[in-house]
Amino acid sequence: AQKITQTQPGMFVQEKEAVTLDCTYDTSDQSYGLFWYKQPSSGEMIFLIYQGSYDEQNATEGRYSLNFQKARKSANLVISASQLGDSAMYFCAMRDCPPQIDQFYFGTGTSLTVIP
Amino acid sequence: NAGVMQNPRHLVRRRGQEARLRCSPMKGHSHVYWYRQLPEEGLKFMVYLQKENIIDESGMPKERFSAEFPKEGPSILRIQQVVRGDSAAYFCASSTAQETQYFGPGTRLLVL
């Protein structure tokens, strides 16, 4: 079964608007972490934001926020005030933590294009 | 503080040759992970190593692929007798224990 599902292969957003990138996950663990990474056309993977399963508050990092809905197993990324430089692939990832194992599972990504 | 370093950034090999990919983790990080990204896909976990130990290699193909993280020096991902299907971007990430993984710039392997 897919651990991480990103259902939006591509998204468009007008510059300065907000956009939400969807991510749902599947785990039976109580303790896990959720991450978002950005991959621009240059190819590197840039860490954006982290949410722990026990965190009560939604994570925020500058213009990025993570809309964490534990009961629905969703961890959507919200980018506010989009900029042209936000155009990139965005990957949602989960780390679940059975003992001794520390794997990341990645979704298939969402390609975001910011329109001037 | 230098980030995760990977070299080479691009590697071209002919079928049957060996590919060696190197990864130097961030300073202070003792956990190294290797991932493969095929075109138009997300990253797939390959192997997780700590110094001198392979912790989890459940994502590694059973043949031709091996990884090490010696006491001194970088982590090495080795692919023997490469085939066209090995063409991909290979990313290394490092972390402290069970914390956020930080990725290197990747090595793009092209097998002719």
Side-chain angles (χ1 to χ4, degrees):
Chain A
Q2 281 281 79
K3 286 269 191 176
I4 294 284
T5 302
Q6 293 181 255
T7 56
Q8 305 154 315
M11 291 280 286
F12 291 87
V13 64
Q14 203 74 40
E15 194 178 5
K16 299 178 186 170
E17 298 287 314
V19 63
T20 298
L21 307 184
D22 294 341
C23 173
T24 57
Y25 59 92
D26 180 29
T27 182
S28 56
D29 290 331
Q30 295 302 309
S31 177
Y32 51 90
L34 296 156
F35 303 78
W36 277 91
Y37 287 85
K38 173 184 177 181
Q39 187 177 42
S41 56
S42 51
E44 70 268 34
M45 293 286 287
I46 302 167
F47 165 71
L48 294 178
I49 195 166
Y50 163 77
Q51 177 87 42
S53 59
Y54 289 117
D55 294 341
E56 294 186 356
Q57 303 257 357
N58 285 345
T60 60
E61 288 286 347
R63 293 186 299 111
Y64 304 109
S65 60
L66 200 151
N67 184 3
F68 180 44
Q69 297 187 45
K70 196 169 182 177
R72 297 179 61 185
K73 293 189 176 178
S74 75
N76 299 339
L77 176 71
V78 180
I79 306 175
S80 62
S82 299
Q83 302 172 357
L84 295 178
D86 294 334
S87 294
M89 284 291 289
Y90 288 81
F91 291 96
C92 179
M94 179 180 70
R95 183 196 69 220
D96 56 12
C97 305
Q100 305 305 315
I101 303 296
D102 188 12
Q103 275 196 36
F104 268 38
Y105 301 92
F106 281 84
T108 50
T110 295
S111 175
L112 177 67
T113 302
V114 179
I115 303 165
Chain B
N1 185 13
V4 179
M5 312 273 284
Q6 286 188 252
N7 68 81
R9 295 290 304 275
H10 298 273
L11 182 61
V12 180
R13 285 286 178 266
R14 296 193 181 279
R15 281 178 295 169
Q17 292 184 318
E18 178 180 286
R20 279 186 178 237
L21 287 61
R22 294 175 196 78
C23 169
S24 297
M26 283 178 72
K27 190 175 180 181
H29 286 189
S30 58
H31 300 239
V32 166
Y33 310 80
W34 285 94
Y35 294 84
R36 178 164 62 178
Q37 185 180 31
L38 295 171
E40 310 297 324
E41 293 188 13
L43 277 69
K44 294 286 195 309
F45 169 79
M46 298 180 75
V47 62
Y48 162 37
L49 310 104
Q50 294 179 26
K51 284 284 188 183
E52 299 185 280
N53 284 308
I54 296 174
I55 307 301
D56 178 10
E57 56 182 347
S58 58
M60 287 275 271
K62 294 286 185 281
E63 297 176 351
R64 303 188 297 107
F65 285 72
S66 62
E68 62 178 13
F69 188 18
K71 190 175 178 182
E72 301 290 338
S75 175
I76 306 283
L77 178 67
R78 184 180 175 208
I79 312 172
Q80 295 177 291
Q81 299 173 342
V82 295
V83 301
R84 288 216 173 110
D86 297 333
S87 295
Y90 292 83
F91 286 90
C92 168
S94 74
S95 73
T96 56
Q98 298 194 354
E99 294 295 331
T100 299
Q101 294 183 14
Y102 293 90
F103 283 80
T107 294
R108 272 89 186 149
L109 173 65
L110 175 63
V111 180
L112 301 176

